[in-house]
Amino acid sequence: AASTRPSRRTPAAATTATPAPPNATPAARYDSATPAAAHTTTKMGKYTASDGKEFDTKREWRKYEMLLMYTFKEKTGETFPIKKPGDVNGQQFDMMNLTKCEAVVADSTDMVQIDECIDCKVFLGASGESVFIRDCKGCTFYVACKQLRLRDCHDCKFSLYSQTEPVIETSDGITFTPFAGGFEGQEACMRSVNLDPKINFWWGIFDFNDEAKTGKNFKVINKPMEPWWPLGEASQICEQTAPNSATLPSTLTDDGGGHGGPTTGGMNSFKIGTSAEDAQNKVDSQAPPPPPDLELIPDEVSKPAADWTAFRVGVRYDPPLLALEWKGDEKTLRKDIPFPEVTELAALVAEVADDECAAAVLDHMVKTHGAQWLDFEKFFSKKQVLRLVDMVLQGGPDSVEM
């Protein structure tokens, strides 16, 4: 009987991992509406990663696969395989301890952290959150992001798109130019993470270590660097705005203080030991968000409109819910589908085998909230939604939450 098994997952924690198929794709914060390709092979009782390494538990496999797919680290003289549109799909990405390497992420990402890189060339095409770059020397960066933050960087060049003011701290010899280059599909990647290519404050630098605003630690040069087209020549998407051509976001606050930078609390250090979540929490309290283009779908709307296009599906953890997104009316529209309450959820999973828990919970959500939203024939991949449900039941992924 189900009740005689030694462990049972509950909404709060997972004591055993669901034996999902070993060829499932790595856990993702967001999944696109189209099914992802499998990256692993199936072996009885094992979870096999993309490079062939085997694991006994799903959690160990997931952590390794996240490192394998969304991290570049500890290499010298390496040209990494290009991450193309759909390869990263809104995940957090990390780079660390690289020397004389070339790295390209031509896709949408969440937060990006780059630490201790020397003489590297890096391309980041669409980060919807902050890009933290720390302890880097002699590097060239092509970056499109919500906000750029540097700490302890020296003699680095930037071809930059930033939707808010870039921030530097204890850094010098930094050169900023407008973003030049791109890739086919960059505009779609940027808009998927709420970046408007026409709003570019690449020139609005705030230096924590230059109270007199002498500009001694950086240069703003209104001449683009040589364009970088990592996937072949494409259209220039990011607007190459002129310095001082628009009001900086921080001057729009109500404190009357003018351009005092993106924070009024003095210096903030982002050390290598600072977690991505802690760093982003600091930034979120300082930097103004981009103009919102996401609307929650009201409860009285019973089904998606005929002209909406299924966009992506994600999860929240507090409270747990599925976040279904559509594109329509020039906005992103989101429908939140809550998980069952704790007692109801516990009852659902108590009567099924461990590998059937996610399916039981998803079936309940479909019955409760209607197949018109969770229509797997028209909209989202059922396999991917099941994987996200399973992530919530196990307590969430090892990366930052949505």
Side-chain angles (χ1 to χ4, degrees), residues 194-255:
N194 294 324
L195 297 179
D196 184 342
K198 295 186 180 302
I199 302 175
N200 188 0
F201 291 100
W202 67 272
W203 44 266
I205 316 303
F206 182 80
D207 185 350
F208 275 116
N209 304 107
D210 185 13
E211 292 184 5
K213 296 180 175 57
T214 65
K216 62 183 179 180
N217 296 318
F218 65 89
K219 288 190 262 185
V220 171
I221 299 177
N222 191 24
K223 181 180 179 181
M225 294 197 297
E226 181 180 354
W228 189 358
W229 314 101
L231 301 181
E233 194 163 348
S235 299
Q236 173 73 37
I237 296 301
C238 295
E239 190 80 15
Q240 296 176 336
T241 55
N244 302 309
S245 59
T247 303
L248 290 165
S250 64
T251 69
L252 305 179
T253 59
D254 295 327
D255 58 13

Side-chain angles (χ1 to χ4, degrees), residues 297 301-310 326-329 333 372-373 379:
I297 299 170
V301 177
S302 61
K303 63 181 180 180
D307 59 346
W308 294 359
T309 301
W326 279 265
K327 288 290 189 181
D329 300 327
L333 306 163
Q372 62 270 27
W373 296 108
F379 303 129

Side-chain angles (χ1 to χ4, degrees), residues 98-386:
L98 305 177
T99 301
K100 298 184 183 300
C101 292
E102 182 172 302
V104 173
V105 181
D107 195 9
S108 60
T109 65
D110 196 89
M111 189 186 316
V112 177
Q113 297 192 99
I114 301 176
D115 294 305
E116 296 187 339
C117 294
I118 300 173
D119 297 332
C120 293
K121 188 176 181 182
V122 175
F123 182 101
L124 297 173
S127 170
E129 293 297 341
S130 295
V131 172
F132 296 93
I133 301 179
R134 300 164 291 204
D135 295 280
C136 293
K137 297 178 181 179
C139 295
T140 298
F141 296 95
Y142 286 67
V143 175
C145 62
K146 176 182 174 182
Q147 186 179 55
L148 176 72
R149 300 187 72 96
L150 309 184
R151 184 182 187 277
D152 291 331
C153 292
H154 309 283
D155 302 319
C156 293
K157 298 177 182 179
F158 284 85
S159 180
L160 180 64
Y161 163 93
S162 182
Q163 194 158 258
T164 57
E165 297 120 298
V167 176
I168 70 172
E169 179 183 0
T170 55
S171 299
D172 56 38
I174 311 299
T175 300
F176 294 96
T177 66
F179 190 93
F183 57 93
E184 188 70 31
Q186 184 180 20
E187 182 173 9
C189 288
M190 292 180 71
R191 294 196 181 279
S192 76
V193 290
N194 294 324
L195 297 179
D196 184 342
K198 295 186 180 302
I199 302 175
N200 188 0
F201 291 100
W202 67 272
W203 44 266
I205 316 303
F206 182 80
D207 185 350
F208 275 116
N209 304 107
D210 185 13
E211 292 184 5
K213 296 180 175 57
T214 65
K216 62 183 179 180
N217 296 318
F218 65 89
K219 288 190 262 185
V220 171
I221 299 177
N222 191 24
K223 181 180 179 181
M225 294 197 297
E226 181 180 354
W228 189 358
W229 314 101
L231 301 181
E233 194 163 348
S235 299
Q236 173 73 37
I237 296 301
C238 295
E239 190 80 15
Q240 296 176 336
T241 55
N244 302 309
S245 59
T247 303
L248 290 165
S250 64
T251 69
L252 305 179
T253 59
D254 295 327
D255 58 13
H259 179 35
T263 177
T264 56
M267 182 183 295
N268 280 289
S269 294
F270 295 95
K271 302 180 184 296
I272 291 178
T274 303
S275 72
E277 185 172 5
D278 289 342
Q280 189 61 46
N281 286 339
K282 291 182 181 180
V283 172
D284 286 345
S285 67
Q286 299 167 3
D293 72 342
L294 187 145
E295 291 184 357
L296 288 178
I297 299 170
D299 290 340
E300 55 266 25
V301 177
S302 61
K303 63 181 180 180
D307 59 346
W308 294 359
T309 301
F311 175 44
R312 60 183 176 181
V313 56
V315 289
R316 287 180 179 269
Y317 294 90
D318 188 17
L321 57 83
L322 286 174
L324 312 177
E325 293 188 9
W326 279 265
K327 288 290 189 181
D329 300 327
E330 298 183 351
K331 288 185 177 292
T332 301
L333 306 163
R334 193 179 82 206
K335 178 69 175 179
D336 290 343
I337 306 294
F339 276 65
E341 296 294 333
V342 172
T343 53
E344 188 175 21
L345 186 57
L348 281 171
V349 301
E351 300 303 323
V352 298
D354 280 352
D355 60 350
E356 297 173 353
C357 290
V361 172
L362 181 57
D363 287 346
H364 177 84
M365 295 170 76
V366 171
K367 292 175 183 177
T368 303
H369 299 283
Q372 62 270 27
W373 296 108
L374 289 165
D375 187 332
F376 302 117
E377 295 295 326
K378 292 183 179 179
F379 303 129
F380 306 103
S381 160
K382 186 173 183 178
K383 179 179 177 181
Q384 291 177 331
V385 176
L386 279 170

